[in-house]
Amino acid sequence: MAEVIYTKSKTGRRGVKFPASGVAEKDLSKFIAENLLNKAKIKLPELTELDVMRYFTNLSQKNFSIDNVFYPLGSCTMKYNPKINEYTAGLDGFTNIHPEQNEEFAQGALELMYNLQEQLKEITGMDAISLQPAAGAHGEFAGMLIVKKYFEKIGEKRTKVIIPDSAHGTNPATAKMCGFDTVEIKSNSDGLVDVEELKRVLDNETAAIMMTNPNTLGLFEENILEFSKLVHEAGALLYYDGANLNAIMGITKPRIMGFDIVHLNLHKTFSTPHGGGGPGAGPIGVTENLADFLPVPVVGFNGEKYFLNYDLKDTIGKVKAYYGNFGILVRAYTYILMMGGKGLRQVSEDAVLNANYLKEKLKNTYKLPYDKICMHEFVLSGDLQKEKGVNTMGIAKRLMDSNIHPPTVYFPLIVHEAMMIEPTETESKETLDNFIEVMKEINREIDEDPELVLERPVKTPVSRVDETLAARQPNLRFCE
Ligand SMILES: *Cc1c(COP(=O)(O)O)cnc(C)c1O
């Protein structure tokens, strides 16, 4: 069990020693209001530099991260984060800038944001972009507020948002938060949205349909053009959840598919370390007729200067302090420039190739509910293994003992015992082959002794925990 740093403290230990000061000491408490003074002694651990370094280095090694293990976490696109991103995001010009700084003196930062908006327009095909939202779910929120305001403006009362049953949970949650009623439609036996189902629920009370393409089963919605035609004929808007953009860059664009509003997860598709809740960026893009509804500011360019534009007449307002999650924007911009247009297309092609390779190699060992060519991820079911005594959670836990982060499990909800596997494009054939071998080995172990598998993991800092208790009442073992 990890010790907290306080338990290592020894009174008087120091990391650095300063020479005696040549300046006379002054009691600053005279200059601070009595009620703002801290009278208690601050309890800080006392350690040497070596103690501190070893403590944090060892702690970081207890973690599972993309920098030390294969991380095929479906839907989350845990792709490699090139270290040059960290270099550019750490440049003095970016880190020392202040958000209240005059635009005149922030032209470089504004130019970067403007260029990123232009790149994202090109990649998605949309007419205007706002970089404001801080995550995918936040982009959805901004997008749904636009839907709401748009119908208010044209004087139509539309209360329903249609969402496929394969959707990410944030989709219905967002629609509800924005005051819409959600209507779920079932996927067909091919794992795709069913045209007849859509027709059945689509009416003049429908404000929007939220879709992910490729969907969360990793399958391309082949009937997308028919959907967008139907949705537009009904006067509704089509919302694109862009979390799976990693599969289609440079090959197709949400705009071509007929989408009116899109969000992107820069931290997924455009490589930023994410997990544990952050950080992220979820820019949204819209068609020309919705451009005035975007959250402000957007960055403009008048031929001479870059400027923050707050002047959009139907704007939903601000959704984030200042200008979005700037550090993430720098990383995404760096990544896009580094890859270039052709490189981004290759990213998608390789991601799709890697996923199909894994799928074909694993489908005789694990059940593959939708056996067709997938995009950048695919979903297996642990049903066969569950019958033998080990469910998907057991397989996920066992994987960690082989130094592999588990795939996304029990999502999407429409697959029993789901394992959603997304290898990403940067993984080598050797890494993929190792994963295949480990997955097959786990299946053999289940055949031999399921009880033993259920005792795993044994090599991690903690073994099996009570999931509910760990989430609801985490024991962080902070000093008393
Ligand atoms: C990750 C994800 C989201 C939510 O995005 P966040 O950036 O985590 O808020 C929405 N939809 C899908 C399909 C996702 O994979």
Side-chain angles (χ1 to χ4, degrees):
M1 186 58 93
E3 279 182 280
V4 294
I5 196 164
Y6 289 85
T7 61
K8 296 180 178 294
S9 176
K10 287 271 181 295
T11 310
R13 291 257 160 95
R14 288 288 175 271
V16 284
K17 247 187 192 161
F18 295 107
S21 171
V23 184
E25 255 182 50
K26 236 188 184 148
D27 185 3
L28 290 179
S29 62
K30 293 196 192 68
F31 304 98
I32 299 170
E34 181 70 18
N35 62 337
L36 296 177
L37 282 174
N38 181 14
K39 306 254 168 49
K41 194 166 182 316
I42 300 171
K43 219 176 153 193
L44 291 175
E46 299 178 64
L47 301 113
T48 65
E49 180 174 331
L50 191 58
D51 290 336
V52 174
M53 190 192 65
R54 287 190 180 149
Y55 176 77
F56 283 107
T57 304
N58 283 313
L59 201 59
S60 75
Q61 287 170 353
K62 292 189 198 307
N63 210 353
F64 262 68
S65 84
I66 189 72
D67 280 357
N68 56 358
V69 296
F70 178 47
Y71 209 132
L73 193 67
S75 212
C76 298
T77 311
M78 303 302 288
K79 62 201 282 177
Y80 175 66
N81 314 116
K83 295 302 166 249
I84 188 163
N85 292 358
E86 302 310 308
Y87 167 77
T88 52
L91 288 173
D92 283 354
F94 293 134
T95 53
N96 290 341
I97 199 166
H98 194 280
E100 297 280 9
Q101 199 157 319
N102 191 315
E103 281 175 18
E104 294 268 335
F105 306 112
Q107 285 293 302
L110 292 177
E111 181 179 356
L112 182 146
M113 293 171 73
Y114 180 84
N115 289 348
L116 181 59
Q117 287 174 185
E118 293 299 303
Q119 289 165 343
L120 297 180
K121 274 157 73 173
E122 177 67 29
I123 292 167
T124 58
M126 305 315 283
D127 295 318
I129 299 271
S130 169
L131 302 171
Q132 279 274 300
H138 198 199
E140 290 173 34
F141 180 65
M144 281 297 116
L145 288 182
I146 290 178
V147 171
K148 199 164 185 187
K149 198 149 184 208
Y150 169 75
F151 285 114
E152 273 167 22
K153 187 181 172 195
I154 63 171
E156 286 184 22
K157 190 166 156 42
R158 289 175 180 256
T159 52
K160 287 184 357 188
V161 171
I162 300 173
I163 300 170
D165 59 1
S166 58
H168 195 271
T170 51
N171 293 184
T174 300
K176 274 262 182 248
M177 266 186 76
C178 294
F180 291 107
D181 297 326
T182 55
V183 182
E184 184 178 278
I185 50 172
K186 291 214 179 331
S187 305
N188 61 25
S189 55
D190 286 334
L192 303 177
V193 172
D194 195 280
V195 181
E196 294 310 314
E197 270 276 301
L198 178 65
K199 282 186 187 156
R200 198 173 55 77
V201 294
L202 190 63
D203 59 17
N204 60 9
E205 286 182 5
T206 306
I209 165 166
M210 297 178 87
M211 282 183 72
T212 312
N213 197 16
N215 65 26
T216 61
L217 293 164
L219 303 175
F220 193 79
E221 295 284 358
E222 294 154 14
N223 298 320
I224 186 63
L225 293 179
E226 191 177 351
F227 297 149
S228 52
K229 189 160 164 279
L230 287 169
V231 169
H232 289 146
E233 277 169 6
L237 296 170
L238 201 59
Y239 183 91
Y240 184 75
D241 177 331
N244 289 345
L245 195 81
N246 209 44
I248 62 160
M249 285 185 294
I251 298 165
T252 184
K253 306 178 184 194
R255 178 63 182 275
I256 297 175
M257 302 178 209
F259 285 94
D260 302 287
I261 308 175
V262 315
H263 85 250
L264 302 178
N265 306 60
L266 296 189
H267 46 292
K268 296 181 179 174
T269 315
F270 301 102
S271 80
T272 278
H274 61 288
I284 58 170
V286 293
T287 49
E288 186 70 49
N289 60 326
L290 297 173
D292 267 340
F293 291 86
L294 283 173
V296 288
V298 293
V299 182
F301 180 56
N302 63 15
E304 260 177 43
K305 277 191 200 143
Y306 297 92
F307 61 97
L308 292 165
N309 183 3
Y310 288 87
D311 193 21
L312 301 182
K313 73 177 187 317
D314 300 308
T315 178
I316 57 163
K318 270 194 83 57
V319 295
K320 165 94 177 66
Y322 295 113
Y323 324 112
N325 237 346
F326 184 71
I328 310 302
L329 307 182
V330 178
R331 288 172 173 88
Y333 183 66
T334 307
Y335 181 74
I336 291 170
L337 285 186
M338 185 172 68
M339 299 313 293
K342 285 205 184 99
L344 289 179
R345 184 183 170 114
Q346 197 188 336
V347 161
S348 291
E349 288 171 350
D350 290 354
V352 171
L353 183 63
N354 278 0
N356 278 285
Y357 180 69
L358 288 184
K359 170 177 67 68
E360 287 304 306
K361 293 283 186 181
L362 288 171
K363 73 179 191 186
N364 294 326
T365 311
Y366 292 86
K367 187 165 138 190
L368 175 66
Y370 301 98
D371 189 358
K372 53 203 285 199
I373 291 179
C374 66
M375 298 296 285
H376 64 311
E377 64 190 354
F378 63 102
V379 181
L380 292 175
S381 161
D383 268 353
L384 304 174
Q385 286 67 26
K386 188 177 182 184
E387 278 167 27
K388 297 188 276 190
V390 178
N391 64 5
T392 283
M393 188 56 82
I395 296 167
K397 299 279 182 194
R398 166 61 187 83
L399 271 169
M400 296 170 79
D401 267 351
S402 293
N403 258 328
I404 292 174
H405 192 287
T408 295
V409 294
Y410 298 102
F411 177 75
L413 305 175
I414 53 178
V415 173
H416 288 169
E417 298 293 317
M419 285 180 272
M420 184 189 212
I421 301 171
E422 180 179 6
T424 80
E425 65 284 353
T426 37
E427 300 297 344
S428 67
K429 181 162 179 299
E430 288 74 17
T431 304
L432 301 183
D433 284 339
N434 178 57
F435 178 66
I436 293 162
E437 206 25 67
V438 171
M439 288 294 282
K440 288 184 175 172
E441 169 65 23
I442 295 174
N443 184 54
R444 283 194 295 272
E445 289 173 12
I446 294 171
D447 284 336
E448 280 159 22
D449 192 347
E451 291 301 317
L452 210 60
V453 176
L454 289 173
E455 285 171 18
R456 304 286 206 124
V458 293
K459 297 184 188 167
T460 47
V462 287
S463 185
R464 291 209 153 204
V465 292
D466 180 326
E467 308 277 333
T468 316
L469 204 64
R472 302 261 161 86
Q473 291 171 32
N475 175 5
L476 302 176
R477 303 211 336 127
F478 200 61
C479 67
E480 52 305 334

